[in-house]
Amino acid sequence: MYPIPADASATVQRPPPGRRTAPRIQPFKRVADPDFVLRTCLTLSSAFRQIYAGNAADLNFESLYRCTYNVCVGHGDEVLYTQVATTMAAEVEKLAGSLDSTASASDDEFLRELLGRWKKHSNAVTMIRDVVMYMERSFVEFRHKAPVRELGLRAWRDGMLRPDGEVRPRLRAALLQMARRDRAGEAVDVPLRDLMAGATKMLVEVGDGLYEEVLEAPFLDEVRWLCAGESVRLLASPCGCGEYLRTVESMMDAEKARVSRFLDAQTEEKVAAVVLAEMVEKNVARLVGMEGSGLASMLVDGRYWDLTRMHRLLGRVQGGVPAMRDCMNAHFQEMKNTAGDDERLLSREKERYREMINGVFRGEASFHAALDSCFT
Amino acid sequence: MTGKGEAAAQHREEEEDGEMVGVVKLISAEGFEFVIDKKAAMVSNTLRNMLTSPGGFAESRDNEVRFPEISTAILEKICQYFYWSLHYASGKETAEFPIEPEITLELMMAANYLDT
């Protein structure tokens, strides 16, 4: 049997003084103390501050957890919830304030400091959440309030990443600078790249469209501007359609690689779309119909790699494939006219093009249709 | 009152050469110490959070947790529950966990407290 101590008055809540019970079911007794909630909340707040200061090793989890339990059971959950939010906000303010002193430091230092503080904050939020888990389980879920982790993210967003603050422009500048150096072929050290990747993860985690606004949009704008310039330059030069498309593809791949090094994966597709829109979509007709190097001459010369590339790139923009189809139509017509009555030649050409469409253009249905409609 | 009593032998786990690796000590209100596997303790979400919290509270450092408000009888029952839970977790066999009616309320409250 259980070793029942003589004084079996130990129940989970604090027993009212002087009550001696035999082992039977206890009725519910609550210590009615209006200040209790407030006092306990203050205790918890100072514990939170200690957590932020990194002195958790001196704290006793169980007693803090018990404080939360007692507060919630004493109907103080609302008060505690607000306390958690305000303490976090205050601590983030402090962290933000101390960051300003690094305003003149190099990008490298700045990022390191920022990420160090972010880590501290994230850990503190997790620890606080563990301590007030009872509140989270009962109050937060029951009343559909934002969970503690969410409060932490909001505090960080409003405290450290204010729209009018210095952190956002600094991050943007650091990223663009890094991207420019990378484009120019300078090696960007791995630690710096990792810091940037860390900053990206931080912004994505905070959410709220911050990553898109602070890092992604400026990066894409710069790529757009660069592509527009390059496009004009190339088209004015004597390079042919094939070479132009080759340059487009290599630029696209380079930018995607850049994104994978310092930005978030979601931006890869977006940057590819930007490159294609600026360099290909705007010039579809011109590229396809280019004299001496456009689609028609590629077909005649059998430049299979160029043809596949054209199909691959134009397939990703609006109106790309239809333009190719129209050009092919015209080309087939012209060929039919030149061949005239030579049945053998015609059927040979038809076969050749059919194979080409299957092989090079991966069986594109509209091209087959064009071929058939022309040669019936 | 720090009586170093231990409950029935089936709860006691081997101490490896005096080190408390993989075990934690749960101390009841009366000072009884229950030594159980960490794995058993993790059945309770509260204890799991406590022991795996990033900052490292005093408990995870010393590997012992005091419960000034949980009595020995209840704490012992809870330790039994942890092992019962681990044993039947696979779901292949089932058995009833025996609970005496007198301790039900306290046990449920402790279970709620420990998120078990």
Side-chain angles (χ1 to χ4, degrees), chain A residues 46-342:
Chain A
S46 83
F48 296 158
R49 277 194 286 278
Q50 220 181 317
I51 290 177
Y52 265 97
N55 288 334
D58 296 331
L59 290 173
N60 192 313
F61 185 99
E62 202 276 328
S63 60
L64 294 176
Y65 184 80
R66 203 159 16 97
C67 288
T68 322
Y69 178 82
N70 288 329
V71 164
C72 292
V73 154
H75 303 298
D77 354 43
E78 188 89 51
V79 177
L80 180 59
Y81 187 77
T82 339
Q83 272 287 3
V84 168
T86 32
T87 312
M88 279 203 234
E91 289 296 324
V92 172
E93 282 290 336
K94 276 205 336 231
L95 289 174
S98 68
L99 187 64
D100 284 341
S101 61
T102 61
S104 57
S106 67
D107 279 351
D108 182 274
E109 285 240 356
F110 171 76
L111 283 176
R112 211 185 300 275
E113 288 292 311
L114 178 64
L115 287 178
R117 283 170 176 72
W118 165 243
K119 184 137 197 262
K120 212 193 257 191
H121 171 76
S122 300
N123 277 346
V125 169
T126 309
M127 287 167 77
I128 292 179
R129 181 171 168 266
D130 289 340
V131 166
V132 303
M133 184 59 82
Y134 194 80
M135 176 187 82
E136 180 114 328
R137 271 192 285 142
S138 50
F139 175 70
V140 167
E141 293 182 16
F142 187 60
R143 304 266 223 102
H144 303 295
K145 299 257 187 184
V148 173
R149 197 177 153 268
E150 176 84 38
L151 288 179
L153 292 179
R154 277 193 213 158
W156 186 257
R157 187 194 61 204
D158 299 333
M160 186 68 86
L161 302 172
R162 283 191 317 274
D164 57 338
E166 293 165 17
V167 176
R168 291 197 197 185
R170 198 72 207 269
L171 282 174
R172 183 179 308 142
L175 173 72
L176 291 180
Q177 174 79 301
M178 213 178 291
R180 277 176 209 143
R181 280 172 54 194
D182 194 63
R183 259 179 222 121
E186 286 175 40
V188 177
D189 344 296
V190 178
L192 186 56
R193 261 187 9 220
D194 290 341
L195 288 174
M196 193 76 230
T200 306
K201 274 218 316 260
M202 173 186 81
L203 285 177
V204 170
E205 205 177 324
V206 174
D208 206 30
L210 268 187
Y211 166 72
E212 285 79 0
E213 195 189 311
V214 175
L215 292 183
E216 194 179 59
F219 179 78
L220 291 178
D221 284 341
E222 182 146 305
V223 171
R224 194 171 291 128
W225 179 81
L226 283 169
C227 286
E230 188 69 8
S231 172
V232 165
R233 190 186 71 84
L234 282 174
L235 288 174
S237 76
C239 90
C241 174
E243 195 184 315
Y244 182 88
L245 290 177
R246 245 171 291 154
T247 316
V248 169
E249 196 160 52
S250 73
M251 277 184 78
M252 192 171 78
D253 290 339
E255 290 302 322
K256 276 171 80 166
R258 209 155 281 132
V259 164
S260 76
R261 277 201 290 278
F262 349 108
L263 287 174
D264 188 61
Q266 70 183 33
T267 311
E268 274 188 45
E269 274 317 301
K270 295 190 197 174
V271 87
V274 163
V275 173
L276 286 173
E278 274 308 311
M279 298 187 80
V280 174
E281 195 168 355
K282 296 195 170 161
N283 303 303
V284 166
R286 190 164 164 182
L287 288 169
V288 170
M290 205 177 273
E291 199 57 53
S293 63
L295 181 54
S297 50
M298 284 187 200
L299 286 171
V300 165
D301 298 342
R303 297 218 284 277
Y304 299 130
W305 290 117
D306 287 346
L307 285 168
T308 315
R309 185 174 299 113
M310 182 185 270
H311 183 232
R312 189 167 54 232
L313 293 180
L314 265 67
R316 291 171 71 167
V317 306
Q318 276 277 30
V321 169
M324 287 177 78
R325 187 205 53 216
D326 293 343
C327 177
M328 289 184 93
N329 228 337
H331 175 75
F332 294 151
Q333 282 293 351
E334 196 184 304
M335 203 186 49
K336 199 162 107 178
N337 294 341
T338 342
D341 290 324
D342 192 342

Side-chain angles (χ1 to χ4, degrees), chain B residues 13-62:
Chain B
E13 293 310 311
E14 304 302 313
E15 286 178 34
E16 288 147 13
D17 303 321
E19 274 193 333
M20 299 280 258
V21 175
V23 289
V24 292
K25 204 194 282 191
L26 305 182
I27 308 179
S28 77
E30 289 88 16
F32 278 72
E33 300 182 358
F34 296 89
V35 180
I36 61 172
D37 283 312
K38 267 201 183 146
K39 193 158 169 240
M42 305 278 194
V43 171
S44 152
N45 286 328
T46 304
L47 287 178
R48 177 159 17 96
N49 285 341
M50 192 186 298
L51 298 170
T52 58
S53 200
F57 288 93
E59 280 90 350
S60 68
R61 191 190 56 209
D62 304 330

